[in-house]
PDB file of all heavy atoms in Angstrom:
ATOM      1  N   TYR A 243       0.822  -1.228  -0.001  1.00  0.00           N
ATOM      2  CA  TYR A 243       0.012   0.024   0.049  1.00  0.00           C
ATOM      3  C   TYR A 243       0.852   1.233   0.054  1.00  0.00           C
ATOM      4  O   TYR A 243       0.533   2.221  -0.630  1.00  0.00           O
ATOM      5  CB  TYR A 243      -0.997   0.060   1.156  1.00  0.00           C
ATOM      6  CG  TYR A 243      -2.122  -0.950   0.904  1.00  0.00           C
ATOM      7  CD1 TYR A 243      -2.409  -1.882   1.960  1.00  0.00           C
ATOM      8  CD2 TYR A 243      -2.871  -0.907  -0.127  1.00  0.00           C
ATOM      9  CE1 TYR A 243      -3.464  -2.746   1.802  1.00  0.00           C
ATOM     10  CE2 TYR A 243      -3.965  -1.822  -0.261  1.00  0.00           C
ATOM     11  CZ  TYR A 243      -4.315  -2.713   0.667  1.00  0.00           C
ATOM     12  OH  TYR A 243      -5.258  -3.581   0.486  1.00  0.00           O
ATOM     13  N   ALA A 244       1.942   1.293   0.687  1.00  0.00           N
ATOM     14  CA  ALA A 244       2.804   2.339   0.682  1.00  0.00           C
ATOM     15  C   ALA A 244       3.479   2.604  -0.676  1.00  0.00           C
ATOM     16  O   ALA A 244       3.528   3.738  -1.202  1.00  0.00           O
ATOM     17  CB  ALA A 244       3.967   2.227   1.735  1.00  0.00           C
ATOM     18  N   THR A 245       3.771   1.536  -1.412  1.00  0.00           N
ATOM     19  CA  THR A 245       4.304   1.693  -2.798  1.00  0.00           C
ATOM     20  C   THR A 245       3.312   2.182  -3.697  1.00  0.00           C
ATOM     21  O   THR A 245       3.562   3.106  -4.537  1.00  0.00           O
ATOM     22  CB  THR A 245       4.859   0.230  -3.180  1.00  0.00           C
ATOM     23  OG1 THR A 245       5.807  -0.180  -2.319  1.00  0.00           O
ATOM     24  CG2 THR A 245       5.488   0.360  -4.603  1.00  0.00           C
ATOM     25  N   VAL A 246       2.099   1.686  -3.618  1.00  0.00           N
ATOM     26  CA  VAL A 246       1.022   2.081  -4.551  1.00  0.00           C
ATOM     27  C   VAL A 246       0.629   3.548  -4.247  1.00  0.00           C
ATOM     28  O   VAL A 246       0.528   4.397  -5.126  1.00  0.00           O
ATOM     29  CB  VAL A 246      -0.271   1.261  -4.268  1.00  0.00           C
ATOM     30  CG1 VAL A 246      -1.461   1.792  -4.991  1.00  0.00           C
ATOM     31  CG2 VAL A 246      -0.021  -0.183  -4.804  1.00  0.00           C
ATOM     32  N   PHE A 247       0.562   3.915  -3.009  1.00  0.00           N
ATOM     33  CA  PHE A 247       0.304   5.366  -2.666  1.00  0.00           C
ATOM     34  C   PHE A 247       1.389   6.321  -3.098  1.00  0.00           C
ATOM     35  O   PHE A 247       1.061   7.352  -3.693  1.00  0.00           O
ATOM     36  CB  PHE A 247       0.094   5.472  -1.133  1.00  0.00           C
ATOM     37  CG  PHE A 247      -0.041   6.906  -0.749  1.00  0.00           C
ATOM     38  CD1 PHE A 247      -1.270   7.482  -0.923  1.00  0.00           C
ATOM     39  CD2 PHE A 247       0.990   7.676  -0.136  1.00  0.00           C
ATOM     40  CE1 PHE A 247      -1.563   8.847  -0.464  1.00  0.00           C
ATOM     41  CE2 PHE A 247       0.725   8.899   0.296  1.00  0.00           C
ATOM     42  CZ  PHE A 247      -0.512   9.585   0.120  1.00  0.00           C
ATOM     43  N   THR A 248       2.632   5.887  -3.028  1.00  0.00           N
ATOM     44  CA  THR A 248       3.730   6.657  -3.471  1.00  0.00           C
ATOM     45  C   THR A 248       3.775   6.768  -4.968  1.00  0.00           C
ATOM     46  O   THR A 248       3.956   7.916  -5.513  1.00  0.00           O
ATOM     47  CB  THR A 248       5.088   6.102  -3.001  1.00  0.00           C
ATOM     48  OG1 THR A 248       5.037   5.895  -1.577  1.00  0.00           O
ATOM     49  CG2 THR A 248       6.259   6.852  -3.416  1.00  0.00           C
ATOM     50  N   ALA A 249       3.416   5.714  -5.697  1.00  0.00           N
ATOM     51  CA  ALA A 249       3.363   5.784  -7.133  1.00  0.00           C
ATOM     52  C   ALA A 249       2.242   6.691  -7.599  1.00  0.00           C
ATOM     53  O   ALA A 249       2.377   7.576  -8.550  1.00  0.00           O
ATOM     54  CB  ALA A 249       3.090   4.382  -7.706  1.00  0.00           C
ATOM     55  N   ILE A 250       1.109   6.659  -7.042  1.00  0.00           N
ATOM     56  CA  ILE A 250      -0.162   7.514  -7.316  1.00  0.00           C
ATOM     57  C   ILE A 250       0.243   8.994  -7.077  1.00  0.00           C
ATOM     58  O   ILE A 250      -0.098   9.828  -7.862  1.00  0.00           O
ATOM     59  CB  ILE A 250      -1.356   7.041  -6.622  1.00  0.00           C
ATOM     60  CG1 ILE A 250      -1.755   5.611  -7.192  1.00  0.00           C
ATOM     61  CG2 ILE A 250      -2.550   8.030  -6.766  1.00  0.00           C
ATOM     62  CD1 ILE A 250      -2.909   4.940  -6.414  1.00  0.00           C
ATOM     63  N   PHE A 251       0.764   9.223  -5.856  1.00  0.00           N
ATOM     64  CA  PHE A 251       1.029  10.549  -5.469  1.00  0.00           C
ATOM     65  C   PHE A 251       2.165  11.085  -6.398  1.00  0.00           C
ATOM     66  O   PHE A 251       2.018  12.328  -6.796  1.00  0.00           O
ATOM     67  CB  PHE A 251       1.545  10.485  -4.024  1.00  0.00           C
ATOM     68  CG  PHE A 251       1.828  11.912  -3.548  1.00  0.00           C
ATOM     69  CD1 PHE A 251       0.769  12.780  -3.134  1.00  0.00           C
ATOM     70  CD2 PHE A 251       3.092  12.321  -3.224  1.00  0.00           C
ATOM     71  CE1 PHE A 251       0.970  14.044  -2.627  1.00  0.00           C
ATOM     72  CE2 PHE A 251       3.374  13.564  -2.708  1.00  0.00           C
ATOM     73  CZ  PHE A 251       2.298  14.460  -2.379  1.00  0.00           C
ATOM     74  N   SER A 252       3.133  10.438  -6.705  1.00  0.00           N
ATOM     75  CA  SER A 252       4.175  10.934  -7.639  1.00  0.00           C
ATOM     76  C   SER A 252       3.617  11.146  -9.039  1.00  0.00           C
ATOM     77  O   SER A 252       3.943  12.300  -9.651  1.00  0.00           O
ATOM     78  CB  SER A 252       5.325   9.861  -7.708  1.00  0.00           C
ATOM     79  OG  SER A 252       5.918   9.721  -6.483  1.00  0.00           O
ATOM     80  N   THR A 253       2.803  10.369  -9.474  1.00  0.00           N
ATOM     81  CA  THR A 253       2.200  10.602 -10.849  1.00  0.00           C
ATOM     82  C   THR A 253       1.243  11.751 -10.782  1.00  0.00           C
ATOM     83  O   THR A 253       1.311  12.545 -11.805  1.00  0.00           O
ATOM     84  CB  THR A 253       1.409   9.357 -11.240  1.00  0.00           C
ATOM     85  OG1 THR A 253       2.222   8.269 -11.175  1.00  0.00           O
ATOM     86  CG2 THR A 253       0.810   9.526 -12.635  1.00  0.00           C
ATOM     87  N   SER A 254       0.611  12.011  -9.719  1.00  0.00           N
ATOM     88  CA  SER A 254      -0.282  13.143  -9.665  1.00  0.00           C
ATOM     89  C   SER A 254       0.461  14.434  -9.539  1.00  0.00           C
ATOM     90  O   SER A 254       0.064  15.468 -10.068  1.00  0.00           O
ATOM     91  CB  SER A 254      -1.345  13.000  -8.466  1.00  0.00           C
ATOM     92  OG  SER A 254      -0.586  13.187  -7.323  1.00  0.00           O
ATOM     93  N   LEU A 255       1.536  14.453  -8.917  1.00  0.00           N
ATOM     94  CA  LEU A 255       2.454  15.586  -8.886  1.00  0.00           C
ATOM     95  C   LEU A 255       3.052  15.966 -10.207  1.00  0.00           C
ATOM     96  O   LEU A 255       3.210  17.119 -10.633  1.00  0.00           O
ATOM     97  CB  LEU A 255       3.678  15.304  -7.938  1.00  0.00           C
ATOM     98  CG  LEU A 255       3.278  15.427  -6.447  1.00  0.00           C
ATOM     99  CD1 LEU A 255       4.465  15.192  -5.588  1.00  0.00           C
ATOM    100  CD2 LEU A 255       2.734  16.965  -6.094  1.00  0.00           C
ATOM    101  N   LEU A 256       3.353  14.864 -11.080  1.00  0.00           N
ATOM    102  CA  LEU A 256       3.995  15.217 -12.295  1.00  0.00           C
ATOM    103  C   LEU A 256       2.975  15.714 -13.283  1.00  0.00           C
ATOM    104  O   LEU A 256       3.211  16.568 -14.080  1.00  0.00           O
ATOM    105  CB  LEU A 256       4.589  13.892 -12.862  1.00  0.00           C
ATOM    106  CG  LEU A 256       5.912  13.347 -12.178  1.00  0.00           C
ATOM    107  CD1 LEU A 256       6.268  12.032 -12.679  1.00  0.00           C
ATOM    108  CD2 LEU A 256       7.079  14.413 -12.391  1.00  0.00           C
ATOM    109  N   PHE A 257       1.754  15.096 -13.363  1.00  0.00           N
ATOM    110  CA  PHE A 257       0.857  15.333 -14.421  1.00  0.00           C
ATOM    111  C   PHE A 257      -0.378  16.230 -13.869  1.00  0.00           C
ATOM    112  O   PHE A 257      -1.065  16.810 -14.752  1.00  0.00           O
ATOM    113  CB  PHE A 257       0.326  14.012 -14.991  1.00  0.00           C
ATOM    114  CG  PHE A 257       1.343  13.255 -15.647  1.00  0.00           C
ATOM    115  CD1 PHE A 257       1.827  12.090 -15.062  1.00  0.00           C
ATOM    116  CD2 PHE A 257       1.816  13.660 -16.951  1.00  0.00           C
ATOM    117  CE1 PHE A 257       2.725  11.331 -15.776  1.00  0.00           C
ATOM    118  CE2 PHE A 257       2.833  12.907 -17.475  1.00  0.00           C
ATOM    119  CZ  PHE A 257       3.235  11.797 -17.020  1.00  0.00           C
ATOM    120  N   GLY A 258      -0.545  16.359 -12.601  1.00  0.00           N
ATOM    121  CA  GLY A 258      -1.682  17.031 -12.230  1.00  0.00           C
ATOM    122  C   GLY A 258      -1.507  18.469 -11.929  1.00  0.00           C
ATOM    123  O   GLY A 258      -2.406  19.229 -11.815  1.00  0.00           O
ATOM    124  N   CYS A 259      -0.338  18.982 -12.047  1.00  0.00           N
ATOM    125  CA  CYS A 259       0.003  20.386 -11.711  1.00  0.00           C
ATOM    126  C   CYS A 259       0.037  21.313 -13.019  1.00  0.00           C
ATOM    127  O   CYS A 259       0.517  22.380 -12.959  1.00  0.00           O
ATOM    128  CB  CYS A 259       1.248  20.514 -10.935  1.00  0.00           C
ATOM    129  SG  CYS A 259       1.115  19.772  -9.366  1.00  0.00           S
ATOM    130  N   THR A 260      -0.345  20.680 -14.143  1.00  0.00           N
ATOM    131  CA  THR A 260      -0.326  21.484 -15.333  1.00  0.00           C
ATOM    132  C   THR A 260      -1.638  22.255 -15.491  1.00  0.00           C
ATOM    133  O   THR A 260      -2.621  21.806 -14.915  1.00  0.00           O
ATOM    134  CB  THR A 260      -0.055  20.590 -16.607  1.00  0.00           C
ATOM    135  OG1 THR A 260      -1.204  19.681 -16.691  1.00  0.00           O
ATOM    136  CG2 THR A 260       1.252  19.950 -16.481  1.00  0.00           C
ATOM    137  N   THR A 261      -1.651  23.376 -16.223  1.00  0.00           N
ATOM    138  CA  THR A 261      -2.855  24.205 -16.330  1.00  0.00           C
ATOM    139  C   THR A 261      -3.731  23.618 -17.364  1.00  0.00           C
ATOM    140  O   THR A 261      -4.974  23.830 -17.325  1.00  0.00           O
ATOM    141  CB  THR A 261      -2.484  25.620 -16.724  1.00  0.00           C
ATOM    142  OG1 THR A 261      -1.775  25.611 -17.958  1.00  0.00           O
ATOM    143  CG2 THR A 261      -1.669  26.286 -15.674  1.00  0.00           C
ATOM    144  N   GLY A 262      -3.267  22.873 -18.244  1.00  0.00           N
ATOM    145  CA  GLY A 262      -4.076  22.300 -19.413  1.00  0.00           C
ATOM    146  C   GLY A 262      -4.411  23.401 -20.497  1.00  0.00           C
ATOM    147  O   GLY A 262      -5.094  22.983 -21.406  1.00  0.00           O
ATOM    148  N   GLN A 263      -3.953  24.587 -20.380  1.00  0.00           N
ATOM    149  CA  GLN A 263      -4.244  25.553 -21.376  1.00  0.00           C
ATOM    150  C   GLN A 263      -3.048  25.514 -22.394  1.00  0.00           C
ATOM    151  O   GLN A 263      -1.901  25.336 -22.083  1.00  0.00           O
ATOM    152  CB  GLN A 263      -4.230  26.994 -20.834  1.00  0.00           C
ATOM    153  CG  GLN A 263      -5.583  27.334 -20.267  1.00  0.00           C
ATOM    154  CD  GLN A 263      -5.539  28.774 -19.890  1.00  0.00           C
ATOM    155  OE1 GLN A 263      -4.587  29.465 -19.460  1.00  0.00           O
ATOM    156  NE2 GLN A 263      -6.712  29.437 -19.928  1.00  0.00           N
ATOM    157  N   ASP A 264      -3.383  25.762 -23.648  1.00  0.00           N
ATOM    158  CA  ASP A 264      -2.345  25.860 -24.736  1.00  0.00           C
ATOM    159  C   ASP A 264      -1.669  27.230 -24.456  1.00  0.00           C
ATOM    160  O   ASP A 264      -2.258  28.190 -24.312  1.00  0.00           O
ATOM    161  CB  ASP A 264      -3.090  25.772 -26.041  1.00  0.00           C
ATOM    162  CG  ASP A 264      -2.128  25.544 -27.170  1.00  0.00           C
ATOM    163  OD1 ASP A 264      -1.017  25.208 -26.859  1.00  0.00           O
ATOM    164  OD2 ASP A 264      -2.465  25.734 -28.342  1.00  0.00           O
ATOM    165  N   GLU A 265      -0.349  27.171 -24.701  1.00  0.00           N
ATOM    166  CA  GLU A 265       0.537  28.388 -24.540  1.00  0.00           C
ATOM    167  C   GLU A 265       0.112  29.384 -25.612  1.00  0.00           C
ATOM    168  O   GLU A 265       0.466  30.642 -25.419  1.00  0.00           O
ATOM    169  CB  GLU A 265       1.929  27.986 -24.406  1.00  0.00           C
ATOM    170  CG  GLU A 265       2.288  27.308 -23.145  1.00  0.00           C
ATOM    171  CD  GLU A 265       2.144  28.097 -21.901  1.00  0.00           C
ATOM    172  OE1 GLU A 265       2.336  29.259 -21.926  1.00  0.00           O
ATOM    173  OE2 GLU A 265       1.727  27.517 -20.886  1.00  0.00           O
ATOM    174  N   GLN A 266      -0.289  28.930 -26.804  1.00  0.00           N
ATOM    175  CA  GLN A 266      -0.521  29.912 -27.821  1.00  0.00           C
ATOM    176  C   GLN A 266      -1.890  30.569 -27.597  1.00  0.00           C
ATOM    177  O   GLN A 266      -2.009  31.602 -28.271  1.00  0.00           O
ATOM    178  CB  GLN A 266      -0.624  29.034 -29.188  1.00  0.00           C
ATOM    179  CG  GLN A 266       0.594  28.212 -29.522  1.00  0.00           C
ATOM    180  CD  GLN A 266       1.796  29.075 -29.681  1.00  0.00           C
ATOM    181  OE1 GLN A 266       1.674  30.211 -30.267  1.00  0.00           O
ATOM    182  NE2 GLN A 266       3.004  28.647 -29.449  1.00  0.00           N
ATOM    183  N   GLU A 267      -2.657  30.213 -26.796  1.00  0.00           N
ATOM    184  CA  GLU A 267      -3.932  30.829 -26.497  1.00  0.00           C
ATOM    185  C   GLU A 267      -3.701  32.064 -25.662  1.00  0.00           C
ATOM    186  O   GLU A 267      -3.062  32.017 -24.671  1.00  0.00           O
ATOM    187  CB  GLU A 267      -4.736  29.826 -25.772  1.00  0.00           C
ATOM    188  CG  GLU A 267      -6.282  30.101 -25.783  1.00  0.00           C
ATOM    189  CD  GLU A 267      -7.027  28.941 -25.100  1.00  0.00           C
ATOM    190  OE1 GLU A 267      -6.958  27.859 -25.602  1.00  0.00           O
ATOM    191  OE2 GLU A 267      -7.649  29.193 -24.065  1.00  0.00           O
ATOM    192  N   PRO A 268      -4.333  33.209 -26.074  1.00  0.00           N
ATOM    193  CA  PRO A 268      -4.134  34.420 -25.276  1.00  0.00           C
ATOM    194  C   PRO A 268      -4.925  34.299 -23.934  1.00  0.00           C
ATOM    195  O   PRO A 268      -5.906  33.715 -23.896  1.00  0.00           O
ATOM    196  CB  PRO A 268      -4.642  35.421 -26.159  1.00  0.00           C
ATOM    197  CG  PRO A 268      -5.608  34.780 -27.130  1.00  0.00           C
ATOM    198  CD  PRO A 268      -5.091  33.367 -27.331  1.00  0.00           C
ATOM    199  N   ASP A 269      -4.342  35.003 -23.052  1.00  0.00           N
ATOM    200  CA  ASP A 269      -4.951  35.124 -21.687  1.00  0.00           C
ATOM    201  C   ASP A 269      -6.223  35.994 -21.758  1.00  0.00           C
ATOM    202  O   ASP A 269      -6.127  37.162 -22.202  1.00  0.00           O
ATOM    203  CB  ASP A 269      -3.993  35.597 -20.609  1.00  0.00           C
ATOM    204  CG  ASP A 269      -4.405  35.566 -19.239  1.00  0.00           C
ATOM    205  OD1 ASP A 269      -5.629  34.939 -19.045  1.00  0.00           O
ATOM    206  OD2 ASP A 269      -3.864  36.040 -18.301  1.00  0.00           O
ATOM    207  N   PRO A 270      -7.306  35.568 -21.437  1.00  0.00           N
ATOM    208  CA  PRO A 270      -8.529  36.407 -21.559  1.00  0.00           C
ATOM    209  C   PRO A 270      -8.609  37.627 -20.661  1.00  0.00           C
ATOM    210  O   PRO A 270      -9.293  38.584 -20.865  1.00  0.00           O
ATOM    211  CB  PRO A 270      -9.694  35.565 -21.232  1.00  0.00           C
ATOM    212  CG  PRO A 270      -9.095  34.386 -20.495  1.00  0.00           C
ATOM    213  CD  PRO A 270      -7.677  34.187 -20.883  1.00  0.00           C
ATOM    214  N   THR A 271      -7.739  37.631 -19.702  1.00  0.00           N
ATOM    215  CA  THR A 271      -7.652  38.847 -18.773  1.00  0.00           C
ATOM    216  C   THR A 271      -6.649  39.853 -19.227  1.00  0.00           C
ATOM    217  O   THR A 271      -6.692  41.005 -18.798  1.00  0.00           O
ATOM    218  CB  THR A 271      -7.283  38.387 -17.388  1.00  0.00           C
ATOM    219  OG1 THR A 271      -6.005  37.726 -17.421  1.00  0.00           O
ATOM    220  CG2 THR A 271      -8.310  37.469 -16.690  1.00  0.00           C
ATOM    221  N   GLU A 272      -5.838  39.555 -20.253  1.00  0.00           N
ATOM    222  CA  GLU A 272      -4.914  40.509 -20.790  1.00  0.00           C
ATOM    223  C   GLU A 272      -5.590  41.464 -21.697  1.00  0.00           C
ATOM    224  O   GLU A 272      -6.565  41.144 -22.425  1.00  0.00           O
ATOM    225  CB  GLU A 272      -3.856  39.797 -21.570  1.00  0.00           C
ATOM    226  CG  GLU A 272      -2.867  39.073 -20.773  1.00  0.00           C
ATOM    227  CD  GLU A 272      -1.780  38.399 -21.638  1.00  0.00           C
ATOM    228  OE1 GLU A 272      -1.750  38.653 -22.826  1.00  0.00           O
ATOM    229  OE2 GLU A 272      -0.897  37.701 -21.026  1.00  0.00           O
ATOM    230  N   GLU A 273      -5.193  42.726 -21.636  1.00  0.00           N
ATOM    231  CA  GLU A 273      -5.757  43.638 -22.632  1.00  0.00           C
ATOM    232  C   GLU A 273      -5.094  43.494 -23.942  1.00  0.00           C
ATOM    233  O   GLU A 273      -3.969  43.092 -24.043  1.00  0.00           O
ATOM    234  CB  GLU A 273      -5.475  45.080 -22.060  1.00  0.00           C
ATOM    235  CG  GLU A 273      -6.267  45.379 -20.812  1.00  0.00           C
ATOM    236  CD  GLU A 273      -6.092  46.837 -20.373  1.00  0.00           C
ATOM    237  OE1 GLU A 273      -5.834  47.707 -21.142  1.00  0.00           O
ATOM    238  OE2 GLU A 273      -6.316  47.054 -19.119  1.00  0.00           O
ATOM    239  N   PRO A 274      -5.792  43.856 -25.040  1.00  0.00           N
ATOM    240  CA  PRO A 274      -5.240  43.706 -26.275  1.00  0.00           C
ATOM    241  C   PRO A 274      -3.928  44.639 -26.448  1.00  0.00           C
ATOM    242  O   PRO A 274      -3.973  45.651 -25.871  1.00  0.00           O
ATOM    243  CB  PRO A 274      -6.318  44.194 -27.246  1.00  0.00           C
ATOM    244  CG  PRO A 274      -7.624  44.072 -26.416  1.00  0.00           C
ATOM    245  CD  PRO A 274      -7.167  44.252 -25.024  1.00  0.00           C
ATOM    246  N   SER A 275      -3.086  44.242 -27.313  1.00  0.00           N
ATOM    247  CA  SER A 275      -1.954  45.056 -27.528  1.00  0.00           C
ATOM    248  C   SER A 275      -2.210  46.326 -28.225  1.00  0.00           C
ATOM    249  O   SER A 275      -3.278  46.472 -28.837  1.00  0.00           O
ATOM    250  CB  SER A 275      -0.895  44.326 -28.328  1.00  0.00           C
ATOM    251  OG  SER A 275      -1.393  44.041 -29.650  1.00  0.00           O
ATOM    252  N   GLU A 276      -1.302  47.267 -28.188  1.00  0.00           N
ATOM    253  CA  GLU A 276      -1.449  48.531 -28.825  1.00  0.00           C
ATOM    254  C   GLU A 276      -1.676  48.374 -30.328  1.00  0.00           C
ATOM    255  O   GLU A 276      -2.424  49.073 -31.024  1.00  0.00           O
ATOM    256  CB  GLU A 276      -0.376  49.454 -28.489  1.00  0.00           C
ATOM    257  CG  GLU A 276      -0.526  50.886 -28.849  1.00  0.00           C
ATOM    258  CD  GLU A 276       0.600  51.828 -28.360  1.00  0.00           C
ATOM    259  OE1 GLU A 276       0.968  51.607 -27.245  1.00  0.00           O
ATOM    260  OE2 GLU A 276       1.000  52.599 -29.191  1.00  0.00           O
ATOM    261  N   GLN A 277      -0.903  47.516 -30.950  1.00  0.00           N
ATOM    262  CA  GLN A 277      -0.956  47.303 -32.323  1.00  0.00           C
ATOM    263  C   GLN A 277      -2.320  46.740 -32.707  1.00  0.00           C
ATOM    264  O   GLN A 277      -2.876  47.127 -33.756  1.00  0.00           O
ATOM    265  CB  GLN A 277       0.111  46.244 -32.756  1.00  0.00           C
ATOM    266  CG  GLN A 277       0.149  45.998 -34.183  1.00  0.00           C
ATOM    267  CD  GLN A 277       1.260  45.003 -34.575  1.00  0.00           C
ATOM    268  OE1 GLN A 277       1.782  44.287 -33.743  1.00  0.00           O
ATOM    269  NE2 GLN A 277       1.605  44.971 -35.861  1.00  0.00           N
ATOM    270  N   GLN A 278      -2.891  45.906 -31.974  1.00  0.00           N
ATOM    271  CA  GLN A 278      -4.214  45.363 -32.181  1.00  0.00           C
ATOM    272  C   GLN A 278      -5.291  46.394 -32.054  1.00  0.00           C
ATOM    273  O   GLN A 278      -6.197  46.561 -32.884  1.00  0.00           O
ATOM    274  CB  GLN A 278      -4.558  44.157 -31.251  1.00  0.00           C
ATOM    275  CG  GLN A 278      -5.846  43.542 -31.486  1.00  0.00           C
ATOM    276  CD  GLN A 278      -5.998  42.803 -32.759  1.00  0.00           C
ATOM    277  OE1 GLN A 278      -5.019  42.243 -33.254  1.00  0.00           O
ATOM    278  NE2 GLN A 278      -7.091  42.863 -33.415  1.00  0.00           N
ATOM    279  N   ASN A 279      -5.113  47.381 -31.108  1.00  0.00           N
ATOM    280  CA  ASN A 279      -6.024  48.488 -31.024  1.00  0.00           C
ATOM    281  C   ASN A 279      -5.968  49.362 -32.191  1.00  0.00           C
ATOM    282  O   ASN A 279      -7.028  49.757 -32.706  1.00  0.00           O
ATOM    283  CB  ASN A 279      -5.729  49.263 -29.724  1.00  0.00           C
ATOM    284  CG  ASN A 279      -6.182  48.638 -28.499  1.00  0.00           C
ATOM    285  OD1 ASN A 279      -6.953  47.633 -28.445  1.00  0.00           O
ATOM    286  ND2 ASN A 279      -5.492  48.932 -27.379  1.00  0.00           N
TER     287      ASN A 279
END
């Protein structure tokens, strides 16, 4: 059980802490750039 718990916990730390957003996608809270305006 300790081994299984450690494996699950380690996997969740590696893959669970990502935002899931694509980096190419603009942040909706950011204001448009001056060039876009």
